Amino acid sequence: MDTFALVVTVGVALFFTYTNGFHDSANAIATSVSTRALTPRAALLMAAVMNLAGAFLGSGVAKTVSEGVIETPQGDKGMGILFAALVGAIAWNLVTWYFGLPSSSSHALFGGMVGAALAGGTEVIWGGVLEKIVIPMFLSPLVGLLVGYLVMAAIMWIFRKSGPHRTKRGFRIAQTVSAAGMALGHGLQDAQKTMGIVVMALVIADVETGDEIPLWVKIASAVMLSLGTYAGGWRIMRTLGRRIIELDPPQGFAAETTAASVMYTASFMFQAPISTTHVITSAIMGVGATKRVNAVRWGVAKNIVLGWFITMPAAAAVAALSFYVVNLLFG
Protein backbone atom coordinates (compact mmCIF):
# COMPACT_ATOMS: atom_id res chain seq x y z
CA MET A 1 0.00 0.00 0.00
CA ASP A 2 1.34 3.41 -0.98
CA THR A 3 2.16 5.28 2.24
CA PHE A 4 1.82 8.56 0.38
CA ALA A 5 -1.79 7.72 -0.52
CA LEU A 6 -2.54 6.98 3.14
CA VAL A 7 -0.97 10.24 4.32
CA VAL A 8 -2.85 12.26 1.71
CA THR A 9 -6.18 10.59 2.53
CA VAL A 10 -5.75 11.14 6.27
CA GLY A 11 -4.73 14.75 5.60
CA VAL A 12 -7.83 15.34 3.46
CA ALA A 13 -9.98 13.72 6.17
CA LEU A 14 -8.59 16.15 8.74
CA PHE A 15 -9.17 19.06 6.36
CA PHE A 16 -12.78 17.89 6.03
CA THR A 17 -13.01 18.07 9.82
CA TYR A 18 -11.69 21.62 9.69
CA THR A 19 -14.34 22.63 7.13
CA ASN A 20 -16.92 20.84 9.27
CA GLY A 21 -15.82 23.00 12.20
CA PHE A 22 -16.15 26.38 10.52
CA HIS A 23 -19.26 25.23 8.62
CA ASP A 24 -21.06 23.96 11.71
CA SER A 25 -19.72 26.30 14.40
CA ALA A 26 -22.87 28.34 13.81
CA ASN A 27 -24.94 25.38 15.05
CA ALA A 28 -23.57 25.71 18.56
CA ILE A 29 -23.38 29.46 18.98
CA ALA A 30 -25.66 31.32 16.55
CA THR A 31 -28.55 31.51 19.01
CA SER A 32 -26.31 32.68 21.88
CA VAL A 33 -24.70 35.35 19.72
CA SER A 34 -27.99 36.57 18.25
CA THR A 35 -29.52 36.99 21.73
CA ARG A 36 -26.30 38.68 22.94
CA ALA A 37 -25.80 36.07 25.64
CA LEU A 38 -22.21 35.72 24.38
CA THR A 39 -19.94 37.84 22.23
CA PRO A 40 -18.99 36.16 18.93
CA ARG A 41 -15.35 35.52 19.87
CA ALA A 42 -16.17 34.29 23.37
CA ALA A 43 -18.82 32.00 21.89
CA LEU A 44 -16.41 30.61 19.30
CA LEU A 45 -13.71 29.98 21.90
CA MET A 46 -16.19 28.22 24.18
CA ALA A 47 -17.50 26.14 21.28
CA ALA A 48 -13.96 25.17 20.23
CA VAL A 49 -13.08 23.98 23.74
CA MET A 50 -16.32 22.03 24.15
CA ASN A 51 -15.93 20.49 20.67
CA LEU A 52 -12.52 19.26 21.78
CA ALA A 53 -13.95 17.74 24.95
CA GLY A 54 -16.94 16.18 23.19
CA ALA A 55 -14.71 14.31 20.75
CA PHE A 56 -13.47 12.06 23.58
CA LEU A 57 -16.87 11.12 25.02
CA GLY A 58 -17.58 8.02 22.92
CA SER A 59 -16.89 5.97 19.80
CA GLY A 60 -20.27 4.55 18.75
CA VAL A 61 -20.82 7.06 15.94
CA ALA A 62 -17.28 6.47 14.60
CA LYS A 63 -17.93 2.71 14.40
CA THR A 64 -21.19 3.31 12.54
CA VAL A 65 -19.32 5.42 9.96
CA SER A 66 -16.44 2.97 9.55
CA GLU A 67 -18.55 -0.21 9.44
CA GLY A 68 -22.19 0.61 8.71
CA VAL A 69 -22.27 2.66 5.49
CA ILE A 70 -20.05 0.94 2.92
CA GLU A 71 -17.97 -2.22 2.95
CA THR A 72 -14.35 -1.39 3.73
CA PRO A 73 -12.76 -1.17 0.26
CA GLN A 74 -9.35 -2.75 -0.25
CA GLY A 75 -6.10 -1.77 -1.93
CA ASP A 76 -5.23 1.39 -3.81
CA LYS A 77 -8.75 1.57 -5.23
CA GLY A 78 -10.12 1.56 -1.71
CA MET A 79 -7.96 4.51 -0.71
CA GLY A 80 -9.09 6.29 -3.87
CA ILE A 81 -12.72 5.72 -2.87
CA LEU A 82 -12.16 7.30 0.55
CA PHE A 83 -10.26 10.21 -1.00
CA ALA A 84 -13.06 10.84 -3.53
CA ALA A 85 -15.71 10.61 -0.80
CA LEU A 86 -13.92 13.30 1.20
CA VAL A 87 -13.49 15.54 -1.85
CA GLY A 88 -17.24 15.35 -2.51
CA ALA A 89 -18.04 16.26 1.11
CA ILE A 90 -15.54 19.12 1.23
CA ALA A 91 -16.77 20.56 -2.07
CA TRP A 92 -20.36 20.62 -0.83
CA ASN A 93 -19.32 22.14 2.52
CA LEU A 94 -17.53 24.98 0.74
CA VAL A 95 -20.40 25.65 -1.67
CA THR A 96 -23.03 25.79 1.08
CA TRP A 97 -20.76 27.86 3.32
CA TYR A 98 -20.26 30.39 0.53
CA PHE A 99 -24.01 30.81 0.09
CA GLY A 100 -24.69 30.80 3.84
CA LEU A 101 -26.84 27.68 3.66
CA PRO A 102 -26.74 25.54 6.83
CA SER A 103 -26.65 22.16 5.14
CA SER A 104 -25.36 19.05 6.86
CA SER A 105 -21.63 18.26 6.77
CA SER A 106 -22.54 14.80 8.02
CA HIS A 107 -24.81 14.00 5.11
CA ALA A 108 -22.32 15.52 2.70
CA LEU A 109 -19.82 12.96 4.02
CA PHE A 110 -22.28 10.08 3.77
CA GLY A 111 -23.35 11.13 0.29
CA GLY A 112 -19.70 11.27 -0.70
CA MET A 113 -19.08 7.79 0.69
CA VAL A 114 -22.05 6.30 -1.17
CA GLY A 115 -21.23 8.06 -4.46
CA ALA A 116 -17.57 7.09 -4.38
CA ALA A 117 -18.40 3.49 -3.41
CA LEU A 118 -20.85 3.12 -6.28
CA ALA A 119 -18.35 4.60 -8.73
CA GLY A 120 -15.61 2.33 -7.42
CA GLY A 121 -17.63 -0.88 -7.40
CA THR A 122 -17.65 -1.23 -3.60
CA GLU A 123 -20.75 -2.56 -1.88
CA VAL A 124 -22.99 -0.04 -0.16
CA ILE A 125 -24.65 -1.34 3.01
CA TRP A 126 -28.10 -0.05 2.12
CA GLY A 127 -29.68 -1.38 5.30
CA GLY A 128 -27.18 0.60 7.37
CA VAL A 129 -27.68 3.70 5.21
CA LEU A 130 -31.45 3.46 5.72
CA GLU A 131 -31.37 2.63 9.43
CA LYS A 132 -28.48 4.82 10.59
CA ILE A 133 -28.66 7.76 8.17
CA VAL A 134 -31.89 8.16 6.20
CA ILE A 135 -34.37 7.44 9.01
CA PRO A 136 -32.52 9.65 11.55
CA MET A 137 -32.21 12.32 8.84
CA PHE A 138 -36.00 12.63 8.70
CA LEU A 139 -36.79 11.70 12.30
CA SER A 140 -34.34 13.95 14.16
CA PRO A 141 -35.67 17.25 12.72
CA LEU A 142 -39.25 16.20 13.52
CA VAL A 143 -38.20 15.39 17.07
CA GLY A 144 -36.31 18.68 17.30
CA LEU A 145 -39.34 20.61 16.03
CA LEU A 146 -41.77 18.95 18.45
CA VAL A 147 -39.50 18.95 21.52
CA GLY A 148 -38.43 22.55 20.85
CA TYR A 149 -42.08 23.61 20.78
CA LEU A 150 -42.86 21.70 24.00
CA VAL A 151 -39.79 22.95 25.88
CA MET A 152 -40.55 26.55 24.95
CA ALA A 153 -44.22 26.12 25.86
CA ALA A 154 -43.16 24.77 29.27
CA ILE A 155 -40.79 27.71 29.82
CA MET A 156 -43.54 30.18 28.92
CA TRP A 157 -45.92 28.52 31.41
CA ILE A 158 -43.38 28.23 34.25
CA PHE A 159 -42.25 31.86 33.94
CA ARG A 160 -45.64 33.31 33.01
CA LYS A 161 -45.74 35.48 36.17
CA SER A 162 -42.12 36.61 36.03
CA GLY A 163 -41.09 40.01 34.77
CA PRO A 164 -39.93 39.87 31.12
CA HIS A 165 -36.72 41.82 31.76
CA ARG A 166 -35.65 39.65 34.69
CA THR A 167 -36.55 36.46 32.84
CA LYS A 168 -34.53 37.41 29.76
CA ARG A 169 -31.53 38.36 31.89
CA GLY A 170 -31.63 34.99 33.68
CA PHE A 171 -31.92 33.03 30.46
CA ARG A 172 -29.10 35.04 28.89
CA ILE A 173 -26.87 33.60 31.63
CA ALA A 174 -28.41 30.13 31.25
CA GLN A 175 -27.64 30.22 27.54
CA THR A 176 -23.94 30.01 28.35
CA VAL A 177 -24.61 26.51 29.72
CA SER A 178 -27.00 25.43 26.95
CA ALA A 179 -24.61 26.65 24.23
CA ALA A 180 -21.77 24.72 25.88
CA GLY A 181 -23.95 21.60 25.94
CA MET A 182 -24.74 22.09 22.26
CA ALA A 183 -21.04 22.47 21.40
CA LEU A 184 -20.19 19.36 23.44
CA GLY A 185 -22.79 17.38 21.49
CA HIS A 186 -21.38 18.72 18.22
CA GLY A 187 -17.93 17.45 19.17
CA LEU A 188 -19.39 14.11 20.23
CA GLN A 189 -21.12 13.69 16.88
CA ASP A 190 -18.95 15.31 14.24
CA ALA A 191 -15.39 14.56 15.37
CA GLN A 192 -16.28 10.86 15.48
CA LYS A 193 -17.36 10.88 11.83
CA THR A 194 -13.85 11.78 10.74
CA MET A 195 -12.39 9.25 13.17
CA GLY A 196 -14.40 6.55 11.43
CA ILE A 197 -13.02 7.57 8.00
CA VAL A 198 -9.42 7.63 9.27
CA VAL A 199 -9.84 4.19 10.85
CA MET A 200 -11.08 2.89 7.49
CA ALA A 201 -7.99 4.33 5.80
CA LEU A 202 -5.71 2.72 8.38
CA VAL A 203 -7.43 -0.66 7.92
CA ILE A 204 -7.09 -0.43 4.13
CA ALA A 205 -3.39 0.35 4.54
CA ASP A 206 -2.95 -2.61 6.96
CA VAL A 207 -1.78 -0.21 9.67
CA GLU A 208 -4.71 -1.19 11.90
CA THR A 209 -6.62 -4.46 11.98
CA GLY A 210 -9.52 -3.75 14.34
CA ASP A 211 -12.06 -1.00 14.80
CA GLU A 212 -10.44 0.59 17.85
CA ILE A 213 -9.68 4.28 17.40
CA PRO A 214 -6.00 5.14 18.06
CA LEU A 215 -5.46 7.99 20.51
CA TRP A 216 -3.65 10.12 17.91
CA VAL A 217 -6.68 9.87 15.61
CA LYS A 218 -8.97 11.13 18.37
CA ILE A 219 -6.62 13.99 19.21
CA ALA A 220 -6.04 15.02 15.58
CA SER A 221 -9.76 14.92 14.72
CA ALA A 222 -10.72 16.84 17.84
CA VAL A 223 -8.07 19.51 17.35
CA MET A 224 -8.93 20.09 13.69
CA LEU A 225 -12.65 20.35 14.49
CA SER A 226 -11.87 22.85 17.24
CA LEU A 227 -9.59 24.92 15.00
CA GLY A 228 -12.25 25.01 12.32
CA THR A 229 -14.86 25.99 14.89
CA TYR A 230 -12.74 28.87 16.13
CA ALA A 231 -12.26 30.06 12.55
CA GLY A 232 -16.01 30.67 12.57
CA GLY A 233 -18.82 30.43 10.08
CA TRP A 234 -20.28 33.90 10.01
CA ARG A 235 -22.41 33.51 6.89
CA ILE A 236 -24.28 30.51 8.28
CA MET A 237 -24.47 32.09 11.73
CA ARG A 238 -26.54 34.96 10.29
CA THR A 239 -28.98 32.48 8.72
CA LEU A 240 -29.53 30.48 11.90
CA GLY A 241 -29.39 33.39 14.31
CA ARG A 242 -31.63 35.94 12.63
CA ARG A 243 -33.07 34.99 9.24
CA ILE A 244 -35.31 32.15 10.51
CA ILE A 245 -36.68 34.12 13.48
CA GLU A 246 -35.51 36.87 15.82
CA LEU A 247 -34.70 34.93 18.99
CA ASP A 248 -34.77 36.13 22.59
CA PRO A 249 -32.76 34.44 25.40
CA PRO A 250 -35.52 32.05 26.61
CA GLN A 251 -36.07 30.91 23.02
CA GLY A 252 -32.35 30.49 22.45
CA PHE A 253 -32.03 28.42 25.64
CA ALA A 254 -34.96 26.21 24.64
CA ALA A 255 -33.56 25.61 21.14
CA GLU A 256 -30.04 24.79 22.35
CA THR A 257 -31.25 22.53 25.16
CA THR A 258 -33.52 20.66 22.76
CA ALA A 259 -30.80 20.16 20.15
CA ALA A 260 -28.20 19.03 22.70
CA SER A 261 -30.63 16.50 24.22
CA VAL A 262 -31.45 15.00 20.82
CA MET A 263 -27.74 14.69 19.94
CA TYR A 264 -26.81 12.97 23.21
CA THR A 265 -29.70 10.54 22.83
CA ALA A 266 -28.75 9.69 19.24
CA SER A 267 -25.07 9.25 20.13
CA PHE A 268 -25.32 7.16 23.27
CA MET A 269 -28.54 5.19 22.74
CA PHE A 270 -28.54 4.56 18.99
CA GLN A 271 -24.96 5.34 17.79
CA ALA A 272 -26.73 7.22 14.98
CA PRO A 273 -24.72 9.95 13.22
CA ILE A 274 -27.35 12.68 13.02
CA SER A 275 -26.94 16.18 11.66
CA THR A 276 -26.39 18.94 14.23
CA THR A 277 -27.56 21.37 11.56
CA HIS A 278 -30.89 19.60 11.09
CA VAL A 279 -31.56 19.39 14.81
CA ILE A 280 -30.77 22.98 15.83
CA THR A 281 -32.58 24.42 12.80
CA SER A 282 -35.74 22.44 13.46
CA ALA A 283 -35.54 23.25 17.20
CA ILE A 284 -35.38 26.97 16.35
CA MET A 285 -38.47 26.55 14.15
CA GLY A 286 -40.35 24.71 16.90
CA VAL A 287 -39.42 27.29 19.50
CA GLY A 288 -40.40 30.15 17.21
CA ALA A 289 -43.78 28.60 16.45
CA THR A 290 -44.83 29.04 20.10
CA LYS A 291 -44.75 32.80 19.57
CA ARG A 292 -47.02 32.52 16.56
CA VAL A 293 -46.78 30.31 13.52
CA ASN A 294 -46.10 33.16 11.11
CA ALA A 295 -43.28 34.49 13.34
CA VAL A 296 -41.05 31.88 11.68
CA ARG A 297 -39.80 32.92 8.26
CA TRP A 298 -40.94 29.72 6.60
CA GLY A 299 -39.60 30.81 3.20
CA VAL A 300 -36.04 30.74 4.58
CA ALA A 301 -36.83 27.47 6.35
CA LYS A 302 -38.09 25.99 3.07
CA ASN A 303 -34.80 26.82 1.32
CA ILE A 304 -32.87 25.23 4.16
CA VAL A 305 -34.96 22.04 4.01
CA LEU A 306 -34.47 21.92 0.25
CA GLY A 307 -30.72 22.04 0.89
CA TRP A 308 -31.08 19.03 3.16
CA PHE A 309 -32.66 16.97 0.40
CA ILE A 310 -30.05 17.77 -2.22
CA THR A 311 -26.98 17.44 0.03
CA MET A 312 -26.46 13.69 -0.20
CA PRO A 313 -27.11 13.37 -3.98
CA ALA A 314 -24.97 16.44 -4.73
CA ALA A 315 -22.04 15.25 -2.61
CA ALA A 316 -22.43 11.75 -4.09
CA ALA A 317 -22.23 13.12 -7.63
CA VAL A 318 -19.08 15.16 -6.88
CA ALA A 319 -17.50 12.15 -5.14
CA ALA A 320 -18.26 9.85 -8.07
CA LEU A 321 -16.75 12.36 -10.50
CA SER A 322 -13.71 12.71 -8.24
CA PHE A 323 -13.21 8.96 -8.18
CA TYR A 324 -13.29 8.76 -11.98
CA VAL A 325 -10.73 11.59 -12.21
CA VAL A 326 -8.45 10.01 -9.60
CA ASN A 327 -8.76 6.61 -11.27
CA LEU A 328 -8.00 8.15 -14.66
CA LEU A 329 -4.90 9.97 -13.40
CA PHE A 330 -3.49 7.33 -11.05
CA GLY A 331 -5.33 4.10 -11.82
Side-chain angles (χ1 to χ4, degrees):
M1 170 60 61
D2 190 345
T3 303
F4 177 73
L6 172 62
V7 172
V8 169
T9 302
V10 171
V12 173
L14 294 177
F15 179 67
F16 165 76
T17 307
Y18 181 83
T19 67
N20 189 344
F22 76 68
H23 191 279
D24 288 0
S25 58
N27 296 339
I29 64 174
T31 51
S32 296
V33 172
S34 69
T35 61
R36 296 178 176 82
L38 293 169
T39 64
R41 283 297 167 192
L44 283 169
L45 180 60
M46 178 275 296
V49 171
M50 297 307 288
N51 274 182
L52 187 66
F56 292 92
L57 289 182
S59 60
V61 171
K63 290 180 179 178
T64 295
V65 173
S66 63
E67 299 175 359
V69 181
I70 64 174
E71 293 290 347
T72 303
Q74 299 300 316
D76 291 337
K77 187 175 79 169
M79 202 66 73
I81 287 172
L82 288 190
F83 176 83
L86 291 163
V87 169
I90 291 170
W92 187 248
N93 270 359
L94 295 177
V95 168
T96 51
W97 166 80
Y98 180 81
F99 289 104
L101 180 65
S103 71
S104 168
S105 295
S106 304
H107 293 128
L109 176 61
F110 299 137
M113 291 175 70
V114 170
L118 292 174
T122 292
E123 182 181 351
V124 176
I125 306 173
W126 292 110
V129 171
L130 177 64
E131 180 183 348
K132 295 293 188 179
I133 298 173
V134 176
I135 291 177
M137 180 173 73
F138 287 99
L139 191 60
S140 58
L142 292 176
V143 172
L145 186 72
L146 176 61
V147 174
Y149 182 91
L150 294 176
V151 169
M152 190 62 216
I155 288 174
M156 291 168 65
W157 186 82
I158 293 170
F159 293 93
R160 65 192 183 281
K161 296 181 180 179
S162 299
H165 180 71
R166 183 179 178 184
T167 300
K168 289 183 179 180
R169 184 176 60 191
F171 274 103
R172 190 169 281 120
I173 297 171
Q175 265 199 277
T176 305
V177 178
S178 62
M182 177 74 193
L184 191 72
H186 180 229
L188 172 65
Q189 274 280 329
D190 285 29
Q192 286 192 49
K193 292 159 189 170
T194 298
M195 293 178 200
I197 292 291
V198 174
V199 167
M200 289 182 75
L202 295 175
V203 170
I204 292 170
D206 291 327
V207 175
E208 294 284 333
T209 56
D211 58 4
E212 290 302 313
I213 304 171
L215 180 61
W216 71 266
V217 174
K218 293 184 178 182
I219 294 173
S221 300
V223 168
M224 290 302 291
L225 184 68
S226 295
L227 289 175
T229 296
Y230 191 67
W234 305 108
R235 293 172 184 267
I236 295 170
M237 198 182 302
R238 284 195 295 271
T239 300
L240 281 178
R242 294 197 177 277
R243 287 182 62 203
I244 297 175
I245 185 173
E246 296 285 342
L247 294 169
D248 61 21
Q251 291 173 329
F253 174 83
E256 290 166 345
T257 301
T258 296
S261 300
V262 173
M263 283 192 291
Y264 296 144
T265 301
S267 299
F268 292 120
M269 291 186 65
F270 303 106
Q271 291 80 50
I274 64 171
S275 167
T276 55
T277 307
H278 289 194
V279 175
I280 187 61
T281 305
S282 60
I284 290 172
M285 293 178 192
V287 165
T290 61
K291 191 173 182 180
R292 61 182 187 278
V293 174
N294 61 1
V296 178
R297 298 185 180 104
W298 296 106
V300 175
K302 181 188 72 175
N303 292 336
I304 292 171
V305 172
L306 181 62
W308 295 351
F309 279 100
I310 66 175
T311 290
M312 285 188 70
V318 175
L321 180 62
S322 300
F323 176 80
Y324 289 131
V325 171
V326 170
N327 196 50
L328 182 65
L329 294 176
F330 303 104

